[in-house]
Amino acid sequence: MKTKLSLLSAALLTASLAMTPALSFAAIPQAVDGQAIPSLAPMLERTTPAVVSVAVSGTQVSKQRVPDVFRYFFGPNAPQEQVQERPFRGLGSGVIIDADKGYIITNNHVINGADDIQIGLHDGREVKAKLIGADKESDIALLQIEAKNLIAIKQTDSDDIRVGDFAVAIGNPFGLGQTVTSGIVSALGRSGLGIEMLENFIQTDAAINSGNSGGALVNLKGELIGINTAIVAPNGGNVGIGFAIPANMVNNLVEQIIEHGEVRRGVLGVSGRDLDNELAKAFGLDTQHGGFVNEVMPKSAADKAGLKAGDIITSLNGRSIKTFQELRAKVATMGAGAEVEFGIIRDGDKKTIKATLGEADKVEAEAGNVHPMLQGATLEDSKKGIQITEIAQGSPAAMSGLQKGDLIVGLNRNKVTSLKALKEMLKDNQNSVALKILRDNNLLYLVLR
């Protein structure tokens, strides 16, 4: 079969060449039938120098509680926990966004816990990098290097991309060196995947593999549209489902890190859910896209702007909103004090509302600082207690038995009404504590050790 196919191909090629006498073999790489052969090479020659490799090393510290039986045998002086230190190395990718200042964007999970970060430039140079700041919830980190003759990537408005646009992924998969793959934008506004706390991903079928994290997703002009972050890999390899953080979200976070040294997360002050078919029918709507507002927090940015429970948010700054998770991710990464404009539907009428975002309580973004076993949970004040709005899969909070939607109403025998109060109660008590939880109208206690 292979021989017949080869002969058939050769015959077709000979016939094709016979029908185009002016075409010579030497001309094939440049043109076919007088038409130039499309190639990504010119764009990549301009763009790839802005994509770097990131090599990290450090020591991973793991803590494990010593079982009670050991304290029974060894008495009160027995250690409370066992600490293990293991060296680690890792590889990833990064993108130069400012050639003059040496700023490089990568994923937080690429450099998390690293003691040493080395950048491999396109021209072969290796330069030590320092960490300027990072945001775990969106998985973005900003690095800086000192080097001359750097080339920064071009930027574009990632809100302008559409499903079906061509996309090119550039990175360092498996430590092989810089590699380029191409595909299309498969979907936009992907969320609810449990990959990050804040999700609003670009989905692409351009091959992304281990080591591509932190690399660039660009359009056919070589402009950055996203930072490659994660893949769906049921068998450990690429299956054509990759995710990138939109460039606009990245730029918002970078600006905050540069200005403040940290991310000052914007807060609207609403809880809600996606507008689905059932809700749309109940409200007599002809759209099934948007964020349905369940509750508006008193004295919040939303309350001051005039948003009400039952409103359906359909756009943010003129850009359509498909899901409540997309709204949450965009608002949270815009930064405190940002002035925004929402398009809403209220009682069947379309309205526009302007708001100035508030600032998140730092406890919300750093739940692990409240108690180690709360790490991975997103906490928000509500009228009845502290609402758990998100739980990262595999996090200490998830392993403690906490679930999304839980309401923390007490600590040991004390009532808890706010994040501030919870932080104060736990300030001098980082050992075993009992959280009183309201879950589906049932009260229960969860012990944090």
Side-chain angles (χ1 to χ4, degrees):
M1 181 64 71
K2 289 182 180 180
T3 302
K4 291 181 179 179
L5 288 173
S6 298
L7 291 173
L8 178 60
S9 299
L12 290 173
L13 176 61
T14 303
S16 174
L17 292 175
M19 290 185 291
T20 54
L23 183 65
S24 66
F25 284 99
I28 290 176
Q30 285 77 41
V32 172
D33 293 338
Q35 300 294 320
I37 298 176
S39 175
L40 298 176
M43 178 274 285
L44 291 172
E45 288 170 358
R46 300 189 304 269
T47 306
T48 51
V51 183
V52 302
S53 64
V54 181
V56 302
S57 61
T59 302
Q60 187 175 34
V61 179
S62 61
K63 297 180 180 181
Q64 186 175 6
R65 186 173 179 271
V66 176
D68 292 339
V69 66
F70 283 94
R71 289 198 290 275
Y72 174 79
F73 283 111
F74 296 105
N77 294 325
Q80 298 290 315
E81 59 185 11
Q82 184 179 10
V83 180
Q84 292 183 333
E85 295 184 356
R86 296 180 180 178
F88 73 88
R89 294 181 180 276
L91 292 171
S93 306
V95 183
I96 300 173
I97 59 170
D98 190 319
D100 295 330
K101 296 182 179 179
Y103 286 141
I104 295 173
I105 282 293
T106 188
N107 285 137
N108 176 72
H109 76 258
V110 170
I111 55 84
N112 188 33
D115 299 320
D116 182 68
I117 305 173
Q118 296 290 332
I119 301 299
L121 299 175
H122 186 263
D123 58 13
R125 287 180 290 170
E126 292 189 1
V127 186
K128 184 178 178 64
K130 67 177 180 179
L131 177 63
I132 301 300
D135 182 45
K136 293 181 181 179
E137 294 191 18
S138 59
D139 200 13
I140 283 296
L142 178 65
L143 310 177
Q144 187 175 34
I145 62 174
E146 293 185 7
K148 296 181 179 180
N149 302 319
L150 297 177
I151 297 177
I153 201 161
K154 292 182 178 180
Q155 300 278 344
T156 190
D157 187 347
S158 60
D159 285 336
D160 287 337
I161 62 174
R162 300 176 299 171
V163 174
D165 285 350
F166 288 105
V168 179
I170 311 171
N172 178 34
F174 302 108
L176 292 172
Q178 195 172 83
T179 302
V180 177
T181 56
S182 65
I184 64 169
V185 173
S186 306
L188 297 170
R190 287 294 195 214
S191 61
L193 305 173
I195 299 172
E196 307 297 348
M197 298 297 290
L198 297 173
E199 297 181 341
N200 178 34
F201 292 122
I202 301 168
Q203 182 181 324
T204 179
D205 66 349
I208 298 174
N209 291 287
S210 178
N212 272 109
S213 291
L217 187 70
V218 302
N219 59 22
L220 291 186
K221 295 180 181 179
E223 299 166 330
L224 184 70
I225 60 175
I227 296 295
N228 301 322
T229 297
I231 59 173
V232 172
N235 299 315
N238 180 272
V239 294
I241 303 177
F243 301 102
I245 303 170
N248 286 4
M249 282 182 58
V250 173
N251 289 333
N252 288 335
L253 294 166
V254 168
E255 289 176 2
Q256 295 171 55
I257 292 173
I258 292 174
E259 183 176 355
H260 306 294
E262 62 180 359
V263 171
R264 295 189 175 179
R265 205 168 306 288
V267 171
L268 181 58
V270 298
S271 63
R273 54 177 289 190
D274 296 346
L275 179 66
D276 55 20
N277 184 52
E278 184 179 344
L279 271 175
K281 286 183 178 179
F283 281 81
L285 302 174
D286 57 1
T287 180
Q288 296 181 19
H289 296 300
F292 181 82
V293 178
N294 288 337
E295 181 183 9
V296 176
M297 308 305 172
K299 300 181 181 179
S300 65
D303 188 24
K304 295 174 183 177
L307 277 169
K308 298 180 180 180
D311 286 346
I312 298 159
I313 300 175
T314 58
S315 68
L316 171 62
N317 291 339
R319 306 283 186 173
S320 63
I321 294 293
K322 293 184 178 181
T323 66
F324 189 83
Q325 291 297 325
E326 179 186 356
L327 171 69
R328 178 175 176 269
K330 287 187 173 182
V331 166
T333 53
M334 291 182 74
E339 295 183 357
V340 295
E341 183 177 273
F342 296 102
I344 69 168
I345 298 176
R346 177 183 296 168
D347 299 327
D349 297 326
K350 294 182 178 180
K351 297 178 179 293
T352 300
I353 287 183
K354 295 182 179 180
T356 301
L357 299 181
E359 183 173 358
D361 190 322
K362 290 185 180 180
V363 177
E364 176 186 343
E366 301 173 7
N369 291 341
V370 181
H371 192 283
M373 296 310 294
L374 287 177
Q375 184 177 348
T378 301
L379 312 175
E380 291 183 0
D381 284 331
S382 71
K383 293 179 179 179
K384 299 179 180 180
I386 302 168
Q387 190 80 44
I388 298 179
T389 58
E390 294 292 339
I391 290 283
Q393 292 182 350
S395 67
M399 291 187 289
S400 296
L402 292 169
Q403 298 179 11
K404 180 179 178 180
D406 283 352
L407 188 70
I408 301 173
V409 295
L411 176 69
N412 298 334
R413 296 182 179 180
N414 301 312
K415 184 178 180 180
V416 173
T417 57
S418 68
L419 284 167
K420 185 177 181 180
L422 178 64
K423 188 175 182 181
E424 284 297 319
M425 291 180 187
L426 289 171
K427 187 175 182 181
D428 300 319
N429 188 358
Q430 292 291 308
N431 295 318
S432 296
V433 294
L435 288 181
K436 189 177 183 180
I437 303 292
L438 182 63
R439 178 185 296 169
D440 297 328
N441 294 322
N442 295 317
L443 285 174
L444 65 148
Y445 279 92
L446 291 178
V447 178
L448 304 183
R449 300 182 183 277

